Amino acid sequence: MQAFGKSQSVHRIEDRRLLTGQGRFLDDIAPRDALHAVFLRAPIAHGRITALDLSDARAAPGVHAVFDAAALAQAGLAPAMEASLRTNRDGSQGANPPRPLLAGDRVCFVGQPVAMVVADTAAQARDAAEMIDLDLDPLPAHLALEPGGPQIHPEAPENIAYDWAIGDEQAVEAAFARAARRVAITVEQPRLLAASMEPRGACAEWDGQRLHLCFSGQGVWTMKERLARMLHLAPADVRVTIPDVGGGFGMKAMPHPEYFVVAHAARALGRAVRWASDRSEAILSDNSARDLRSDAELALDENYRILAYRVRNWSNLGAFNSEFAQGIQSGLFSMVATGAYAIPAAMVHSRGIYTNTTQVDAYRGAGRPEAITVLERLMDKAARQLGQCPFDLRRRNFIAPDAFPHDTLAQDRIMDGEFARVLERARAEADVAGFPARRAESEARGMRRGLGLCFYIESILGNPTEGAAVEFHADGTLTLFVGTQSNGQGHETVFAQFLADQTGVPLDAIRVVQGDSDRIARGGGTGGSRSVTVQTTATVAMVGQMTEAFAAFLAPELGADVAFEDGTFRAAGSNRTLTLIEAAALARAEGRDDLLRHEASATLEARSYPNGAHLAEVEIDPETGALRLERYTAVDDFGNLLHPRLVEGQVHGGIVQGFGQALSERVVFDPDGQPLTGSFMDYALPRASDLPFLRFVSEPVPTATNPLGVKGCGEAGTVGSIAALVNAVQDALGDGADVQMPLTPQRIWELFARSA
Amino acid sequence: MGKVTMTVNGRQMTAEAEGRTLLSTWLREGLGLTGTHVGCDTSQCGACVVHVDGQPVKSCTALAMDLDGAEVRTIEGMANADGSLSAIQQAFQDHHGLQCGFCTPGMVMAAAALLKENPKPTEAEVRHYLEGNICRCTGYHNIVKAVLAASGQDVSGLGIAAE
């Protein structure tokens, strides 16, 4: 076995095709003869369908078929999509109103799919969709993030989807009753769009017996299972593949209704059918994100030690349960609710609310950025309100390095961490000592300057089990099959590099295959910052098994003590050495085909908990509300870094998604539920000119929970950045009302105007 | 419906177009040049930037029929004649200026146009020029770094801080 942690930043294998226009994104590789699908979507937020006449559309030029809910029912498709449900506080299940693929008698949000047209060209399909006669009787819409109002589903009285809690409420109440100090805050987190640059899409083919669905996703196996059940196919007759993916961020992990309708159409028509969402459609129909309000409170003793913490969340689920929606602001929120602090008593109480809006589900961090943002906004407020240094207050309450393993509120275990060391490194790297001088300099120019700190902890989620397989080819190359799924992070490079590192096989002799349910039996896809940790752990297991098998095979030739070291098999009594590729060639020559394929899976012993300190420094023009991010320092403990340059890229991207939430992004509806942020002209994604260069510093505390000592890095940037940025604005404002996201120039201007 | 002919990446190419056919659709569907991506339909994201008669153009907002006879360069025509990456493409790879790669064709085309106009841009000039190109993965840091590097400027201080 090779030494671990050969951290190096090799060039990405995938870059060449992506830089020369040879990327293979979904809509780049659709079969040339595929028919085009276009959806007709609900134009109002809530209404009863009184008429749906497809006859003109069906007769339009180039049209092959038009599908509506009745057509799907007639074909025998299952009546509703699946979703995971929470268990309520009273032991009952969360509400499960049926979520149809196509609206039947009622539409429940603007953008809900109602019918799908399939035609020779996309333009013909669009023209025909406009000829569909859809009559609606409007119903009152429920949009407020509170119970009550016009009821959307009979299954959900008061529009409450679930009512869930964790923690010892009595202990919390008792601690609050005896606390010397109490600090409370309300944090509103705006509704966001994942806004992957490549919109969603799918292409399906039917060969008379088997279905092949190619889609822009984050893992093939859930989709395969769901397709088989929805279309009543044997799982063996369903193949799902994922090509190059232009960003997913959690949104693309979830089944969406369009994929099933496209698959059904391909089967019904015996033709390939492709659908590519345009941006307006993506904004209306992709799962949205965040959208919650939290009331949080800390109880502290006279020495500023935290005695208890409680949070009450209201989470907007949109009109239906999306795949994992009920779990985000409840279970996942609670994973890191108490952050890096030793808090003796804590509780999270979360309620989900249905509204007449697009479904809400996972997005970069899924519950963990939300939880840390609430906690770190409150820690910041506590420091201000109690006259404490924000660094000292946090230090005083950190879980001490000798207090691990630490049992969390969510009944998980944090195995390691040196939070004070990470915080001190950040204080030095960000030159916090020089901040007063920089602030004075800003103020001399009539500007305001603020410094914001967030100390976050992140929990790696997703399936803790993963598999890896290799196949040796006659030409001296091998294929590595992985169950994770790149969405642009660079997995092809990282996993090939790691296998090369472990086996001595040259990088260019390794090809990574992912995202094909016919070639890979199972896997967990991408999500929860899991990929590097689980995939390398599986690879280590597979390499161990493989080298043992080859050692046994080579023993008669080399000697009984044959071992695999530095990429070669050797034995003490022989001068002969063989590389892995040579050993495979020998096995092939001797007819040992069983040695040409190796497969293993491994399960992580425990979750890892990346953590870090993010410091944002902003300058604000109080006359205009314009904000400039002057400095940004992220000091992160991700354990060992496998490919530092890719890790840095994950941090940058994560920070800027948090920047969007903190400062500019928000989905807005009018009082009738019409979305007003229907394009990138209205929905404010961060642009290059909004940002400075960002500083990433690695302060690793390698974890013992996996062989490499890695902790995961995919979501941490977002988890740490939101509160850091908002706290920086709050600091620039000085005392005053708690600020709320997104802190657009208008909001900032109003805050300064009010406080002046 | 009619035939439209343009010189695309140095070769004369002809494909059908309707009056409403966008340049991006004509390139992707008509010529099979799928390197040019469409990310927003409203001229905001810049994934579809190509060069038309030497100028950067968002191809999702240009009509193919208006451009009969034009000279067009797309991402497929950006590599050197020997197939190696051009200086800008190489800088994107060297500095990890791309993750998912979907916005990358437009970023490279916009950056190439910038460097033609302004061979040694400042950081602020690069950021300002790329305002019309959205990236959701990189936070722009490594894109700006790559463009500065492609212009021959020293970017060695912009990496990961040493442990």
Side-chain angles (χ1 to χ4, degrees):
Chain A
M1 186 68 61
Q2 303 281 106
F4 292 127
K6 278 193 182 171
S7 161
Q8 43 179 319
S9 293
V10 300
H11 275 146
R12 295 204 320 173
I13 294 163
E14 43 278 81
D15 284 350
R16 197 187 148 80
R17 69 172 184 272
L18 297 173
L19 278 162
T20 54
Q22 305 303 315
R24 293 172 56 77
F25 296 95
L26 181 87
D27 208 44
D28 299 345
I29 58 166
R32 301 284 281 177
D33 62 347
L35 303 174
H36 292 257
V38 164
F39 286 86
L40 174 74
R41 295 178 181 278
I44 61 171
H46 201 191
R48 198 160 293 289
I49 298 177
T50 54
L52 179 61
D53 184 352
L54 308 176
S55 50
D56 288 351
R58 283 183 168 139
V63 170
H64 289 249
V66 184
F67 299 89
D68 61 1
L72 300 184
Q74 206 169 11
L77 268 66
M81 295 179 68
E82 299 172 42
S84 71
L85 305 177
R86 283 278 103 185
T87 301
N88 292 321
R89 287 194 293 167
D90 65 6
S92 63
Q93 286 286 290
N96 193 19
R99 178 187 181 193
L101 298 178
L102 296 173
D105 56 345
R106 212 156 49 99
V107 298
C108 294
F109 67 94
V110 174
Q112 184 178 358
V114 176
M116 185 183 85
V117 179
V118 180
D120 287 320
T121 71
Q124 287 170 332
R126 266 195 298 275
D127 290 345
E130 283 182 17
M131 295 161 74
I132 294 174
D133 204 357
L134 170 64
D135 283 340
L136 291 156
D137 245 355
L139 295 166
H142 178 60
L143 299 167
L145 185 45
E146 57 193 34
Q151 184 158 320
I152 303 172
H153 304 293
E155 296 85 354
E158 300 282 296
N159 293 313
I160 294 177
Y162 69 86
D163 181 337
W164 176 92
I166 195 168
D168 184 341
E169 187 166 9
Q170 278 186 329
V172 170
E173 296 307 324
F176 270 93
R178 68 168 194 274
R181 300 176 174 88
R182 293 163 68 144
V183 184
I185 197 168
T186 296
V187 178
E188 294 165 10
Q189 304 199 47
R191 171 179 288 237
L192 304 182
L193 303 172
S196 58
M197 292 315 297
E198 181 203 21
R200 285 187 303 118
C203 180
E205 296 169 281
W206 175 255
D207 70 1
Q209 193 200 335
R210 295 192 85 220
L211 176 74
H212 173 201
L213 181 89
C214 180
F215 82 119
S216 188
Q218 296 187 206
V220 293
W221 298 276
T222 303
M223 199 61 226
K224 174 180 162 158
E225 265 175 42
R226 298 297 165 82
L227 270 174
R229 278 206 287 273
M230 180 69 80
L231 275 65
H232 307 297
L233 289 164
D237 288 335
V238 179
R239 178 187 183 200
V240 177
T241 59
I242 297 178
D244 282 335
V245 176
F249 312 117
M251 180 274 288
K252 284 185 183 165
M254 310 306 167
H256 282 70
E258 293 87 353
Y259 310 146
F260 299 92
V261 189
V262 167
H264 170 66
R267 180 174 63 170
L269 298 170
R271 291 281 303 270
V273 176
R274 65 195 273 201
W275 167 67
S277 159
D278 64 26
R279 182 57 58 185
S280 308
E281 199 176 11
I283 290 173
L284 296 178
S285 67
D286 293 357
N287 288 339
S288 295
R290 315 282 193 244
D291 202 343
L292 70 158
R293 189 178 63 249
S294 307
D295 296 309
E297 197 171 5
L298 277 178
L300 300 100
D301 69 12
E302 56 285 347
N303 296 317
Y304 308 104
R305 281 189 193 279
I306 302 168
L307 297 172
Y309 176 54
R310 68 180 163 213
V311 197
R312 295 207 167 84
N313 293 318
W314 292 101
S315 164
N316 193 340
L317 301 192
F320 298 99
N321 297 328
S322 169
E323 178 77 24
F324 203 67
Q326 291 195 4
I328 305 282
Q329 309 306 350
S330 50
L332 299 193
F333 186 105
S334 75
M335 290 297 294
V336 296
T338 52
Y341 309 114
I343 301 181
M347 73 169 294
V348 173
H349 177 197
S350 301
R351 282 165 288 188
I353 297 288
Y354 294 118
T355 60
N356 290 108
T357 61
T358 310
Q359 312 76 223
V360 179
D361 206 326
Y363 166 62
R364 199 121 189 206
R368 291 153 293 156
E370 293 91 324
I372 292 296
T373 299
V374 172
L375 178 64
E376 289 295 286
R377 286 286 294 132
L378 183 53
M379 289 299 284
D380 185 71
K381 183 171 181 179
R384 261 182 299 119
Q385 190 172 309
L386 304 175
Q388 295 294 298
C389 162
F391 289 81
D392 294 346
L393 182 67
R394 286 173 170 88
R395 266 189 88 112
R396 187 176 294 248
N397 286 287
F398 278 152
I399 304 162
D402 60 4
F404 293 100
H406 172 83
D407 292 319
T408 70
L409 173 67
Q411 286 140 26
D412 199 44
R413 286 198 138 180
I414 306 177
M415 302 305 287
D416 44 56
E418 293 189 36
F419 306 139
R421 185 178 118 195
V422 171
L423 181 65
E424 286 316 305
R425 179 81 189 268
R427 195 205 294 258
E429 293 287 347
D431 185 23
V432 172
F435 175 72
R438 293 193 294 276
R439 171 176 263 176
E441 191 276 329
S442 292
E443 287 180 353
R445 285 182 287 110
M447 309 296 263
R448 298 285 177 272
R449 201 172 184 100
L451 177 68
L453 165 65
C454 171
F455 198 97
Y456 77 90
I457 187 158
E458 225 270 87
S459 166
I460 299 315
L461 299 176
N463 191 337
T465 300
E466 193 49 86
V470 287
E471 246 174 54
F472 291 93
H473 306 301
D475 62 359
T477 65
L478 61 80
T479 302
L480 171 66
F481 297 91
V482 299
T484 48
Q485 176 67 52
S486 186
N487 270 205
Q489 304 98 320
H491 291 179
E492 269 171 83
T493 305
V494 174
F495 299 144
Q497 178 194 349
F498 183 68
L499 185 64
D501 188 42
Q502 295 298 299
T503 60
V505 174
L507 193 59
D508 59 10
I510 300 172
R511 200 165 71 86
V512 174
V513 170
Q514 57 182 351
D516 184 338
S517 67
D518 270 10
R519 304 187 74 186
I520 306 159
R522 65 191 71 81
T526 182
S529 303
R530 71 186 287 272
S531 298
V532 162
T533 312
V534 293
Q535 195 63 60
T536 54
T537 302
T539 300
V540 167
M542 186 273 295
V543 168
Q545 201 173 301
M546 169 174 71
T547 51
E548 261 177 50
F550 274 112
F553 164 65
L554 294 171
E557 193 146 342
L558 299 185
D561 59 344
V562 58
F564 187 68
E565 276 165 14
D566 293 330
T568 53
F569 291 97
R570 69 181 79 225
S574 167
N575 288 331
R576 184 154 177 224
T577 62
L578 284 94
T579 65
L580 186 62
I581 295 292
E582 286 165 349
L586 192 62
R588 182 182 299 276
E590 297 191 5
R592 286 292 303 276
D593 288 0
D594 60 306
L595 289 172
L596 300 180
R597 185 183 165 90
H598 302 268
E599 188 164 5
S601 75
T603 301
L604 299 175
E605 284 171 35
R607 286 196 176 87
S608 52
Y609 281 82
N611 58 87
H614 285 211
L615 279 158
E617 201 169 315
V618 301
E619 188 179 82
I620 288 168
D621 182 345
E623 299 292 318
T624 63
L627 174 147
R628 273 184 57 82
L629 178 57
E630 291 288 334
R631 289 164 162 247
Y632 197 97
T633 309
V635 175
D636 296 296
D637 164 22
F638 296 143
N640 293 325
L641 307 185
L642 213 57
H643 192 307
R645 196 190 294 139
L646 299 197
V647 172
E648 184 195 29
Q650 288 299 306
V651 173
H652 292 157
I655 290 169
V656 174
Q657 289 189 342
F659 177 99
Q661 171 172 342
L663 301 175
S664 69
E665 295 179 37
R666 182 164 71 112
V667 175
V668 182
F669 295 92
D670 82 359
D672 297 322
Q674 281 292 338
L676 300 178
T677 40
S679 77
F680 286 166
M681 292 188 285
D682 317 294
Y683 184 82
L685 289 168
R687 310 274 177 149
S689 51
D690 297 330
L691 291 147
F693 284 119
L694 308 166
R695 188 167 158 75
F696 164 61
V697 181
S698 171
E699 180 69 24
V701 181
T703 179
T705 59
N706 62 70
L708 270 82
V710 299
K711 290 187 170 173
C713 67
E715 293 157 307
T718 306
V719 180
S721 61
I722 302 163
L725 288 156
V726 178
N727 288 344
V729 175
Q730 188 84 59
D731 185 50
L733 186 66
D735 285 336
D738 299 326
V739 302
Q740 299 293 357
M741 296 166 265
L743 289 157
T744 59
Q746 183 183 349
R747 274 200 185 166
I748 293 175
W749 178 82
E750 284 169 1
L751 288 163
F752 276 91
R754 213 179 297 146
S755 76
Chain B
M1 206 69 157
K3 286 200 184 307
V4 171
T5 299
M6 298 183 214
T7 305
V8 181
N9 300 327
R11 287 175 54 200
Q12 230 183 38
M13 311 280 257
T14 302
E16 297 274 320
E18 290 183 63
R20 62 182 167 181
T21 304
L22 302 169
L23 176 58
S24 52
T25 312
W26 189 80
L27 290 167
R28 289 180 56 81
E29 301 285 331
L31 303 185
L33 293 173
T34 55
T36 299
H37 293 145
V38 177
C40 78
D41 315 301
T42 52
S43 198
Q44 293 290 305
C45 82
C48 66
V49 170
V50 299
H51 296 177
V52 176
D53 297 328
Q55 296 296 314
V57 164
K58 287 179 170 167
S59 63
C60 80
T61 28
L63 293 168
M65 278 212 167
D66 282 348
L67 297 171
D68 196 40
E71 195 152 320
V72 174
R73 197 165 187 214
T74 71
I75 189 68
E76 287 91 346
M78 287 301 283
N80 298 323
D82 65 358
S84 62
L85 297 180
S86 66
I88 292 173
Q89 289 167 313
Q90 191 59 56
F92 269 71
Q93 179 171 40
D94 291 345
H95 299 284
H96 190 31
L98 66 155
Q99 289 182 29
C100 81
F102 191 82
C103 76
T104 305
M107 284 287 178
V108 169
M109 299 312 289
L114 164 64
L115 295 186
K116 201 169 113 190
E117 213 173 275
N118 181 358
K120 282 263 184 296
T122 63
E123 178 199 340
E125 285 170 338
V126 174
R127 289 185 184 277
H128 178 67
Y129 197 90
L130 294 180
E131 248 181 358
N133 290 75
I134 299 176
C135 170
R136 193 55 156 167
C137 295
T138 66
Y140 304 102
H141 180 114
N142 283 337
I143 291 174
V144 176
K145 187 176 166 186
V147 177
L148 291 173
S151 74
Q153 302 185 63
D154 179 17
V155 295
S156 55
L158 298 174
I160 307 168
E163 284 170 21

